[in-house]
Amino acid sequence: MTATTPAPTPPEPQEPARSPHDQKGSYVHEGKSFQRDMRYIPDRITRDGRDGWPVEAGRYRLIAARACPWANRTLISRRLLGLEEAISLGMPGPTHDRRSWTFDLDPDGRDPVLGYERLQEAYFARYPDYPRGITVPAVVDVPTRKVVTNDFQQITLDFATEFAPLHREGAPDLYPEAQRAEIDELNRWMLHRVNNGVYKAGFAGTQDAYETAYAELWEALDVLETRLADRRYLMGPSITEADVRLFPTLVRFDPVYFSHFKTNRQPLFTMPNLWAYTRDLFQTPGFGDTIDFQQIKEHYYVVQTDINPTRVVPAGPDLERFLEPHDRDLLPSDTWGPGGSAPLSPLAAEVVDPAHTPLHVTGR
C-alpha cells in the first residue's frame, strides 16, 4: 500500500464509541456494566499481502506500552519468536490522557522512528476522523507512518504464522496446527472470563454487574487452577499462544487487579497451581523480561481516576515472590517444543529498568 492509496473507510463505529474509556476519560458508568468495544482495524499483515500489507523485514513498527496487558502479549510473542530485528518497537509511557498514548519516554517526547508525539497521529494519518479509542498494541507501516492494525487478537496469531519466514532459529511453534481449534476455544473463553473479566469487575457501574463479573472471573480461575494441576502449560508440556494470552493478566493480578478492580476473593499467590505457573512463566525468557511493574501500577492507579481519584500508587507487593522456586519442571515438559530453544536476551534498548523488576537481565 503506497502513500497515494486513498484512505480506506474505517470500521463502522458503534455507539458509544469507547475503548475502554469515554471521551471524558471515564471508565465506570453508573448503572451500566462494562462493555468493551471489540471492533478493531481488521487489516492483516500476511505473506501474500492480500490486504495490501505484505510481510517484510524492517517495514513495520510495533507500538506496545509495557503497562497494557493486551500490548504485553505482542511483546512476549515478538521476543519468543525472535522478531526483534524484523519488527521495530516503539513504547509509549505508562500514562495517557483521553486523546492518546504518548511517547513521553523518548527524547523530546517523540517516537524516534515515526516522529510522532502521540500514537493518535498514526491513526489519523490513515483515518482522519477515526471514531474510537486509540489503542495499543498497534502496528504502523513505517514508510507511510500510517496505522495498519490494532486488532490485538489477530496480531500475535500473525506473528506466529504469517511472519514464520522471519522467525529466529529455534523459535517455538506457538500456534501448532493440530491444537489450533482447542487453543482458539480456550482463548475465547479466557478473553471473556479472565482477560476482560477483571475489567468487567473493575469497571462495573452497578453492584449486580460487579458481583456477576466477580463470580464469573473466580469460577474461571478455579477451572484454570484445576487444569494446571497436572500439566506445566495450558496446552500440555509446551508453551503456546494460550500461555502468551493468560500470563499478562495473571502477572498483574496481585499488583493491580486484586485491589484496584476489587477482584479480592484471594491473592493469586494463595492458589498453588496458578501462582506456581505464573512464577514459572515469569522466570522463563521472553515473559518476565517484558514486565515493568512500576509502569503497570502507574498506568492503572494514575490513569483510572474514577476508580482511584487520589492517583496514589501502592508500594507493594513484594516482587521477590516472583522469583521463588516453582517446581513446575517436575511436570512433563518440552517448553520450547521439538527443535525449539529459549530466545536470546532482550535487546539492550529494550531491557526493563532494573528498579522496576526483580529480574536483572543483561541486554545483548
Side-chain angles (χ1 to χ4, degrees):
M1 183 173 289
T2 66
T4 59
T5 302
T9 302
E12 182 181 351
Q14 64 182 34
E15 292 295 335
R18 312 289 187 252
S19 184
H21 56 84
D22 67 14
Q23 299 307 306
K24 295 181 180 179
S26 298
Y27 293 81
V28 179
H29 302 281
E30 188 174 354
K32 297 181 180 180
S33 59
F34 173 67
Q35 300 294 327
R36 182 178 297 276
D37 182 354
M38 291 294 292
R39 297 187 186 184
Y40 295 91
I41 302 169
D43 285 20
R44 294 175 58 192
I45 302 169
T46 57
R47 279 182 262 189
D48 63 8
R50 57 185 175 273
D51 288 344
W53 312 104
V55 170
E56 294 179 15
R59 175 169 176 176
Y60 303 102
R61 188 162 178 80
L62 172 65
I63 307 301
R66 291 196 188 278
C68 171
W70 317 105
N72 196 174
R73 299 175 174 189
T74 62
L75 294 175
I76 294 169
S77 178
R78 176 176 171 270
R79 282 273 294 117
L80 297 180
L81 299 173
L83 291 171
E84 294 101 318
E85 303 294 347
I87 304 170
S88 66
L89 177 64
M91 288 188 286
T95 62
H96 59 77
D97 58 24
R98 64 184 183 182
R99 290 172 56 196
S100 178
W101 294 84
T102 56
F103 295 103
D104 49 287
L105 300 180
D106 291 309
D108 301 321
R110 292 183 178 273
D111 180 87
V113 172
L114 302 175
Y116 291 148
E117 292 181 337
R118 294 174 173 271
L119 178 56
Q120 183 183 59
E121 295 172 74
Y123 280 71
F124 289 172
R126 187 173 178 201
Y127 303 120
D129 299 312
Y130 189 74
R132 289 194 299 284
I134 307 299
T135 61
V136 291
V139 180
V140 177
D141 179 49
V142 173
T144 62
R145 301 195 303 161
K146 296 179 179 180
V147 67
V148 175
T149 182
N150 63 344
D151 187 351
F152 70 93
Q153 294 282 81
Q154 189 63 47
I155 289 172
T156 52
L157 295 181
D158 286 341
F159 280 2
T161 56
E162 300 296 329
F163 279 82
L166 302 179
H167 288 180
R168 66 177 175 87
E169 184 177 355
D173 184 357
L174 296 177
Y175 197 44
E177 193 164 355
Q179 293 182 301
R180 287 182 186 179
E182 186 180 354
I183 291 173
D184 290 345
E185 181 180 5
L186 178 60
N187 284 345
R188 282 191 295 269
W189 177 80
M190 290 195 302
L191 170 66
H192 297 293
R193 293 297 189 98
V194 181
N195 306 131
N196 198 38
V198 290
Y199 287 88
K200 290 178 182 178
F203 294 156
T206 72
Q207 188 69 32
D208 285 346
Y210 162 72
E211 291 182 4
T212 297
Y214 177 95
E216 290 182 349
L217 169 67
W218 279 107
E219 179 184 10
L221 289 175
D222 286 338
V223 169
L224 292 171
E225 173 74 7
T226 300
R227 183 184 183 100
L228 290 166
D230 59 358
R231 62 180 77 190
R232 186 170 184 182
Y233 306 108
L234 287 172
M235 297 301 298
S238 303
I239 289 170
T240 67
E241 173 75 12
D243 303 294
V244 171
R245 296 193 182 198
L246 180 58
F247 174 76
T249 298
L250 297 184
V251 80
R252 287 163 173 77
F253 198 90
D254 287 359
V256 176
Y257 302 144
F258 175 82
S259 57
H260 186 62
F261 280 172
K262 310 180 189 71
T263 60
N264 58 353
R265 190 188 78 177
Q266 62 191 99
L268 193 69
F269 74 79
T270 65
M271 302 187 75
N273 299 328
L274 274 171
W275 178 234
Y277 167 82
T278 302
R279 298 199 311 277
D280 184 8
L281 287 180
F282 184 82
Q283 296 169 34
T284 299
F287 285 87
D289 54 40
T290 69
I291 301 300
D292 186 315
F293 284 107
Q294 186 61 30
Q295 288 197 27
I296 289 170
K297 291 193 294 183
E298 286 182 10
H299 171 67
Y300 288 95
Y301 289 102
V302 173
V303 172
Q304 296 166 6
T305 54
D306 46 355
I307 298 177
N308 186 45
T310 65
R311 299 187 177 184
V312 172
V313 179
D318 178 7
L319 300 181
E320 295 299 324
R321 286 177 177 164
F322 285 92
L323 300 183
E324 293 174 354
H326 52 74
D327 295 330
R328 297 289 292 177
D329 50 351
L330 299 179
L331 295 168
S333 300
D334 184 14
T335 298
W336 306 110
S341 60
L344 297 173
S345 297
L347 297 174
E350 298 177 10
V351 173
V352 174
D353 185 336
H356 297 176
T357 176
L359 289 177
H360 303 288
V361 181
T362 303
R364 301 182 225 190

